Amino acid sequence: IRTKGSRDGDRDQAAALLAGLDAQRIQQFTNLGASSVLFDHAGRQLLMGSLGDSTKLWDGTTREPVIIKNSKPSPVAFAEGNTPAQLLYDTNRHCFNLSNLLNAESLHEWIIPPPIVTRMKVGALPNLLAISPDGAVVVAALELSDGNAAVVAFRSDSVTILRESAATISSLAVSADGRLAAVGESGGQAEVWSLESGKRIVEFTTGRNEILSLALKSMTRTTAGGLHDQAENSVWLLAAGDSGGNVTIYDVLSHDVLAHCQGGHDQVYAVAFSPDGATLASGGHGPVKLWDVATGRLLLDIPVGGSGEYLTGLDFTADARRLAISLEGGTDPVRVSVWNLEYGRGIDLLHGLSG
């Protein structure tokens, strides 16, 4: 099931009708690579993380984004609702700083505790970083002088060492609500941690392939009677993409595998849940794929890139009606694109009708 963008206008309508999902490219940015993409909560602004010395900000109405110079390759967030920000590391003071991209004002600072600093490898920068979309929670992998790596969580009121291990950490993720963190290893293990308690919830083994991407989604079940006790009715999902092209979706609390998404990519560099947790986007080389979370069924292929590109980021708007995709490398000049998603099309709408 494949849909083609507005570049050639030849979308496979019949396949889209069968899938009940269609996509159409509404915006593209050429020769503007991005390390990540992030919509603000309202879905009006798109922030494109820097690959070199500039971050891009698109307001959803203009043809070209605003280019913000003197920014660095680092995670980005929309702090305090809609303030574009980047996470910086100060090597002299051993601290993380959430900086306003528009005026360089410091929005928040997290200082690494001295007991950790004294054990860090001299001159080493954080191996990996993950930040919640609102910039309130940061998780960092820090290289220690004894060869181990420490995973440290920074919240507004606390700093917690989640784990220390000799295993090579290959990916990190933070849930959008800042309650969960996920750690992926090169040997195929993935862990989920509660950032409220600082305890590990579960460990999964996906195989022997390196875990390249992780995504978390936490939801709370509701019924006609309203919201139930959160602890008993939470649904926590983990998606893991690996170097073998596999995408696996887990139920964190039951420790069950929900779905294996087959027919994927050579490597899976990014995964992202839709806001309602019903759809998962994944990508590496070649088309971005949209999967049904409950079954692992492939819903749609979105063709992006030409030859040699690799995916760097995926993000849905809060209403799940748009998907942003960022690429790097290869021959296609289109590096960032925004797609309209149309749900409930065709046959899916006809279920239960007679005649």
Side-chain angles (χ1 to χ4, degrees):
I1 302 169
R2 183 182 178 94
T3 180
K4 296 183 179 179
S6 56
R7 176 173 49 190
D8 55 19
D10 183 24
R11 294 183 296 123
D12 188 345
Q13 294 290 341
L17 287 172
L18 287 171
L21 176 63
D22 194 14
Q24 184 172 11
R25 189 169 61 198
I26 61 168
Q27 183 61 268
Q28 64 184 43
F29 303 110
T30 59
N31 301 314
L32 293 174
S35 59
S36 60
V37 282
L38 180 68
F39 284 107
D40 69 358
H41 183 71
R44 297 191 183 98
Q45 299 184 91
L46 178 66
L47 190 55
M48 301 168 239
S50 174
L51 281 170
D53 64 353
S54 63
T55 299
K56 281 74 67 178
L57 179 65
W58 181 54
D59 66 4
T61 62
T62 58
R63 291 186 59 85
E64 297 296 332
V66 174
I67 296 178
I68 304 170
K69 291 289 188 179
N70 301 319
S71 54
K72 298 181 179 180
S74 60
V76 294
F78 278 103
E80 302 170 355
N82 62 356
T83 301
Q86 65 176 339
L87 183 67
L88 302 175
Y89 178 64
D90 188 324
T91 56
N92 295 321
R93 299 178 57 235
H94 301 290
C95 68
F96 293 103
N97 178 42
L98 188 66
S99 174
N100 187 326
L101 276 164
L102 300 180
N103 60 19
E105 175 188 359
S106 178
L107 301 173
H108 195 88
E109 183 178 84
W110 295 274
I111 297 175
I112 301 175
I116 301 177
V117 172
T118 57
R119 299 175 55 209
M120 289 173 58
K121 184 177 179 181
V122 177
L125 298 175
N127 290 340
L128 289 167
L129 293 170
I131 189 170
S132 60
D134 62 359
V137 177
V138 172
V139 176
L142 305 175
E143 188 176 358
L144 304 179
S145 57
D146 62 4
N148 289 340
V151 177
V152 185
F154 301 85
R155 306 177 77 200
S156 60
D157 57 352
S158 65
V159 178
T160 305
I161 301 176
L162 299 180
R163 53 167 271 180
E164 293 184 24
S165 173
T168 301
I169 299 170
S170 54
S171 56
L172 294 173
V174 179
S175 63
D177 60 8
R179 296 170 59 200
L180 304 176
V183 182
E185 299 178 2
S186 61
Q189 286 74 40
E191 298 176 345
V192 178
W193 292 75
S194 167
L195 297 183
E196 296 171 333
S197 68
K199 296 181 179 180
R200 188 176 70 182
I201 299 172
V202 66
E203 178 181 1
F204 298 108
T205 300
T206 63
R208 297 183 179 181
N209 295 317
E210 180 179 13
I211 297 178
L212 300 176
S213 55
L214 294 165
L216 286 159
K217 180 64 184 174
S218 58
M219 302 173 290
T220 302
R221 292 190 182 97
T222 58
T223 66
L227 188 66
H228 280 247
D229 179 81
Q230 200 166 13
E232 293 183 0
N233 292 277
S234 292
V235 180
W236 295 349
L237 304 178
L238 171 70
D242 66 31
S243 59
N246 305 300
V247 178
T248 309
I249 303 171
Y250 301 91
D251 184 316
V252 172
L253 293 184
S254 70
H255 303 184
D256 293 331
V257 175
L258 281 184
H260 291 288
C261 302
Q262 304 292 337
H265 324 269
D266 294 330
Q267 296 92 23
V268 183
Y269 292 124
V271 286
F273 284 105
S274 62
D276 62 2
T279 306
L280 180 76
S282 69
H285 299 287
V288 168
K289 296 179 179 291
L290 300 184
W291 309 90
D292 176 62
V293 168
T295 64
R297 179 171 68 105
L298 178 63
L299 300 174
L300 199 66
D301 273 350
I302 300 178
V304 293
S307 175
E309 284 83 6
Y310 62 92
L311 194 76
T312 60
L314 294 165
D315 194 44
F316 289 90
T317 52
D319 62 3
R321 293 294 177 180
R322 289 184 176 182
L323 175 68
I325 301 168
S326 58
L327 305 167
E328 180 55 23
T331 59
D332 194 331
V334 177
R335 293 289 187 260
V336 177
S337 55
V338 179
W339 298 73
N340 264 351
L341 302 178
E342 301 176 60
Y343 297 87
R345 294 187 48 144
I347 289 177
D348 279 6
L349 282 178
L350 302 180
H351 289 173
L353 299 180
S354 60

